[in-house]
Each structure stands twice: as structure tokens, then as C-alpha cells.
Amino acid sequence: MQDTPPSVPDFTQWPSFPFEGDLRVKQIDDPVAVEPPRRGEADRECTACNAPDEAYIWVGERWRVRAMDRPTGLPMVLILESRSHLDLGDLPNLLAAELGVMTVRLERAVRSLDGVARVHVNRWGDGSAHLHMWFLARPYGRLQLRGTFLSLWDSILPPISEEQWRENLAMVAAWLAEFGGRPLAEPPRIRWEAPSTLSPSPTSVAEEPEEESASVIEAADEIPESEAAEQTAEADVAEDLEMRSGHPADAAADEHADGDPVGEESGSVEAGTAGRAAAGDEPEGENDEPSAGVTDENGRSSGNGGRAASARTAG
């Protein structure tokens, strides 16, 4: 009895196989007599030879490394290319030896990234005649991605963030530059947040009065004590004279209530004021009449009672 081949191969049952459900194998086409030229063969233009160095993340004298044009599902997918338009079997001994060194070096650089468990190195060569080696990073812990289907999973998984992708590119480029060449991949820019904006936040508005009060305190501390005392005494004298001129009856009543003669007090005040006016001096703070309630060094009050006592003594 002839065995009936299964409808799908056994690898469709592997845990790493990315598809499930009913599958059907395609019909195999008949072979062609002449294969079409690859990119870089015959009259076809070579994209690798025409690409500038700025299209790569790292460039050296004989090798260049480039990435995809956007993030993919794997942490890192890179391609190692030779500068010379050669295929794998066309490499001279020098480049063949360097290919081994570059393969190991790039594998270590990709494996040094956070979250990378293994690095798959592949060479297919059916799309371009220019030598290019693929380096695919398998995420750590993703056991379902192990094996030969990693390149398929790269197109199935959601892409990683562009910030993480650019950071990985910059790290690999810096790793390779430790051994020579020039890194061209730059890490993502840090997004600084300005401490203040044109439209202040409620927090900044609430903090403004504190800043004003601090500046006022600092300005008050800068005034000399003598000037402050003089300003205080002048204000007290002006208030006392205004009170006397505006309410003479009340002032006289206060003087009689304290037992002080009003005339002597008025005469002494007028005499003192006239003397200062004749001398042409501004009233000094320590010579002006002190405000009520202030005591002298002997503990006596310098209010109305003190002025009356001084007037009687002078008389």
C-alpha cells in the first residue's frame, strides 16, 4: 500500500511555526531554463553600490552595516555588506578572513543589547548579487521564536518603539566603532520639558507671591538702621502735629488730664522748631520727638508726660 503524503509538512506542527488553522501547500512551478538576473547583475543597477555612507549605521574601509528603514518586530535586524561589489564566493582571502572577524564582532554587538538571547546569522543572496549577511536578534524568553522561522516572526510581531530602536542602533554602532570605522547612528534626542511656559501653570502662579515677599524682605534688610529710625521719628512728629492742629480741644484736654501746662509745652515745641529752622538742619531721628509709649534708657516714658517734665525743667 502506497503511503499518502501529508497535506502539510511536519514543521507546521512545530511550536515555532507562526501559523495555525487549515493550510494548503502550493503547487510547485516548473523550473525555468534561465534564471533572471539579481540586483547588481547584468544590466541591473546595484543598490548597495549606489547607497551613500549616510544610509548606514556604521562604515569602515571595506565593510558597512545598515538597518531597516523603520522598526520591526525583533529588537534588531542588521545587514553586513562589503564595499566592493563582490558575492560570497568572489571574496579574496583578505576579505574572506575579515568577513569572519566582522561576523563575530557584529554578533557580539547585537547580543550585548538588553533583552536579546540569540543572534541568527543568515545569508540567502537571491535578491542581490552584492554580498550581504543578515543578523536577526531573538528576544530573550521568546521560545516560540526559536529556529528557522525567526525571519517570519519579524514581520508578524508588532514593531518595537522607534526610540528603543534608535537607541539599539546607536549602541551597536558605538560597539563597532571601538575597533575602527565611523559610527553614523545617533541615539534619540532627550525630550527636555521647559520649567516655565508662556501660560504658567497653577503651581507657578501660587509660588509667585512667595517670591515677591522674599524680595520685599531682602529690600527691607538693605535699609540702614539710622535711616529707618529717622523715617519713623519724622512720621511720628508729623502725626503728632497734625493731631494737635486738627483737634486742639482734645489735645488740651489730654494735657490738663496729665497735669501738664499747655502753654509751656507749646512754647517749648515752637522754640525747638524755630531753632532747628534757623540752623537749617533736617530733623535727625534721635533728636525728634519720640512717639508715645516709647521709654528712654532710664525707663521713663517719653510721651506727653516726658515732654512736660523737660519743659518744666527748662523753665
Side-chain angles (χ1 to χ4, degrees):
M1 183 177 180
Q2 188 176 3
D3 294 336
T4 302
S7 58
V8 292
D10 294 338
F11 64 75
T12 58
Q13 305 301 320
W14 295 357
S16 60
F17 188 69
F19 307 105
E20 62 183 1
D22 297 335
L23 299 174
R24 184 163 55 93
V25 178
K26 287 184 177 181
Q27 184 69 32
I28 298 296
D29 298 334
D30 296 331
V32 297
V34 178
E35 291 191 359
R38 301 173 295 174
R39 290 191 300 271
E41 283 184 335
D43 295 335
R44 296 197 62 182
E45 186 178 19
C46 180
T47 55
C49 292
N50 295 326
D53 285 350
E54 289 72 19
Y56 295 76
I57 69 167
W58 175 88
V59 294
E61 183 179 358
R62 290 177 291 273
W63 301 93
R64 299 193 294 184
V65 177
R66 65 182 176 94
M68 303 292 99
D69 57 350
R70 61 184 181 275
T72 57
L74 299 180
M76 184 56 55
V77 177
L78 296 175
I79 300 176
L80 173 63
E81 295 178 353
S82 60
R83 278 194 179 272
S84 303
H85 185 70
L86 299 170
D87 206 345
L88 181 61
D90 303 330
L91 293 179
N93 292 338
L94 176 61
L95 291 182
E98 284 187 350
L99 176 60
V101 175
M102 288 298 302
T103 300
V104 174
R105 188 175 297 169
L106 187 53
E107 191 273 345
R108 289 175 179 172
V110 177
R111 188 159 42 90
S112 69
L113 299 175
D114 293 337
V116 174
R118 298 284 186 271
V119 181
H120 293 198
V121 182
N122 301 305
R123 187 263 173 178
W124 288 286
D126 280 332
S128 175
H130 198 116
L131 173 62
H132 56 287
M133 305 279 292
W134 291 78
F135 293 76
L136 296 86
R138 178 177 69 80
Y140 187 88
R142 297 286 187 177
L143 301 182
Q144 193 176 0
L145 276 58
R146 293 180 298 177
T148 57
F149 301 113
L150 185 62
S151 58
L152 299 179
W153 281 110
D154 182 43
S155 302
I156 297 172
L157 296 173
I160 65 174
S161 65
E162 185 171 356
E163 183 177 2
Q164 183 63 47
W165 178 64
R166 292 188 179 277
E167 183 177 351
N168 292 343
L169 293 178
M171 293 184 63
V172 172
W175 180 292
L176 295 177
E178 292 291 332
F179 303 93
R182 182 164 52 100
L184 298 177
E186 297 181 356
R189 295 183 179 180
I190 300 176
R191 298 178 180 177
W192 295 102
E193 294 184 1
S196 61
T197 57
L198 295 178
S199 56
S201 60
T203 304
S204 61
V205 173
E207 293 176 354
E208 288 181 1
E210 297 181 359
E211 296 178 357
E212 293 179 359
S213 61
S215 62
V216 170
I217 293 174
E218 293 175 358
D221 293 339
E222 295 176 358
I223 300 176
E225 294 182 359
S226 60
E227 296 181 8
E230 180 179 352
Q231 294 175 3
T232 303
E234 291 178 358
D236 294 338
V237 171
E239 182 180 359
D240 185 69
L241 293 176
E242 181 181 358
M243 180 187 68
R244 293 175 182 275
S245 61
H247 304 280
D250 296 342
D254 292 340
E255 295 290 343
H256 287 294
D258 294 336
D260 298 330
V262 178
E264 295 179 1
E265 172 97 13
S266 303
S268 62
V269 171
E270 292 176 359
T273 304
R276 286 196 300 270
D281 297 333
E282 292 292 335
E284 296 294 332
E286 56 186 2
N287 296 327
D288 292 336
E289 293 184 18
S291 60
V294 179
T295 59
D296 58 8
E297 59 182 358
N298 296 324
R300 292 174 299 180
S301 175
S302 59
N304 294 335
R307 288 194 299 270
S310 62
R312 287 193 297 269
T313 303

